[in-house]
Amino acid sequence: MSASTVFVSRKPARVLKSVMIQGLLWLIGLTITATILWMLVDIGAGGLGTLNLSFLISPPEDAGRSGGIGPLLVSTLWILAICLAAVIPLGLGAALSIHEYLTDRPTLHALMLRSLDILGAVPSIVFGLFGYAFFAIKLGLGFSILSGGLTLACMALPLFARVALGALESVPPAYRQAASALSVSRTGWMLRILIPQASGGLAAALILAMSRALAETAVLLFTAGYVMRMPDSVLDSGRALAVHIYDLSMNTSGGDATAGATVIVLTGVLLLINGLTRFLLPERLNR
């Protein structure tokens, strides 16, 4: 048997193997998509009849069984804004420090990475207890939007920093060499070349951080509180949408319809943030 005959006989087996792998990947993708859609339909279908403009702007009534989620939506956005105001500069600064200043110090570099990994693996309930003990009690902030936002920042910081570091490391080394050849300072390199080129990955890190913050419940139970009224300042207690969903589902009878409508709103906010980011940075995110 010649070599060409052996090659021809092996070709159908390779094609079959490739088709099987592609089919398996499609099956996994469709299964994940179907699971997510099933969850959204199962939870949110009962709330479609409740969802309208009045639901988005009116305050809750009858312990959340009726009325809307206007004050809760405001509280959630304030908590998210405080969280991101702390996470973005600290997380990006940590990622830049590791990438730019610790690469030639392997021990400290490994220690920083290990610290981020450990913090990222800490359960959310532990962050909630820490936020209650430190921000609410030690700093005297009490049950407030500020306590909730800062505690969420502690939880989302490792995730944002880790993903941001990966985005910075994905920038080709040739860009650094070109910057050095042009005598660009390190600050200029980071601000004018490195961060813009890594903007797609940084946006993905931001989306992940916001998604985790918006969906968190345990942290806010210990820090932001349960109050359903409209907050006057960040020092007021405020109920986030995720906490509202939990309370209606677990502690309030007859609140399933409102909980389902709130799930739809929370999912819509996440999709809106994701879509807005992709609209602003389409080429970066699709690389």
Side-chain angles (χ1 to χ4, degrees):
M1 182 181 298
S2 63
S4 59
T5 305
V6 174
F7 177 76
V8 171
S9 63
R10 289 180 178 177
K11 187 175 181 180
R14 293 180 179 177
V15 173
L16 178 61
K17 183 178 180 180
S18 177
V19 171
M20 291 177 62
I21 293 176
Q22 292 181 12
L24 179 61
L25 294 176
W26 273 100
L27 179 61
I28 294 173
L30 291 175
T31 301
I32 295 174
T33 303
T35 302
I36 296 174
L37 291 176
W38 175 76
M39 291 173 57
L40 294 177
V41 171
D42 183 65
I43 297 174
L48 287 176
T50 307
L51 187 61
N52 50 47
L53 180 60
S54 177
F55 179 78
L56 297 177
I57 61 177
S58 61
E61 300 175 359
D62 191 19
R65 296 182 182 90
S66 59
I69 58 170
L72 283 63
L73 189 58
V74 173
S75 297
T76 301
L77 294 178
W78 277 21
I79 292 172
L80 181 62
I82 293 171
C83 173
L84 295 182
V87 165
I88 292 176
L90 293 177
L92 183 57
L96 287 172
S97 298
I98 295 173
H99 183 262
E100 290 294 316
Y101 297 98
L102 299 182
T103 52
D104 55 346
R105 301 179 181 179
T107 302
L108 190 56
H109 184 272
L111 179 61
M112 289 290 292
L113 293 181
R114 182 63 60 86
S115 299
L116 290 176
D117 293 338
I118 293 175
L119 284 175
V122 173
S124 60
I125 190 68
V126 177
F127 280 106
L129 292 173
F130 165 77
Y132 173 75
F134 184 72
F135 294 114
I137 303 300
K138 186 71 174 178
L139 298 184
L141 299 178
F143 287 99
S144 64
I145 291 174
L146 185 58
S147 293
L150 293 176
T151 307
L152 278 181
C154 294
M155 189 185 66
L157 178 62
L159 175 63
F160 179 86
R162 237 349 189 144
V163 179
L165 179 60
L168 297 177
E169 292 176 343
S170 67
V171 177
Y175 287 30
R176 183 190 297 273
Q177 297 170 2
S180 299
L182 295 174
S183 300
V184 177
S185 65
R186 175 169 284 183
T187 302
W189 149 253
M190 289 189 293
L191 295 180
R192 298 170 60 184
I193 301 175
L194 180 61
I195 293 178
Q197 289 299 319
S199 58
L202 297 178
L206 184 62
I207 292 173
L208 291 174
M210 287 190 293
S211 300
R212 184 169 188 187
L214 282 173
E216 187 51 50
T217 302
V219 168
L220 299 178
L221 286 173
F222 290 95
T223 55
Y226 294 86
V227 177
M228 291 187 286
R229 66 174 180 268
M230 180 69 73
D232 295 325
S233 71
V234 294
L235 296 178
D236 287 344
S237 176
R239 176 182 288 201
L241 293 178
V243 175
H244 191 56
I245 295 170
Y246 169 80
D247 187 63
L248 290 176
S249 302
M250 302 300 295
N251 302 324
T252 306
S253 59
D256 292 342
T258 306
T262 309
V263 168
I264 297 174
V265 173
L266 183 59
T267 305
V269 171
L270 288 171
L271 294 177
L272 179 63
I273 293 173
N274 196 330
L276 182 61
T277 306
R278 289 185 174 276
F279 174 77
L280 295 175
L281 296 167
E283 297 181 358
R284 302 291 187 190
L285 287 174
N286 292 326
R287 280 187 174 182

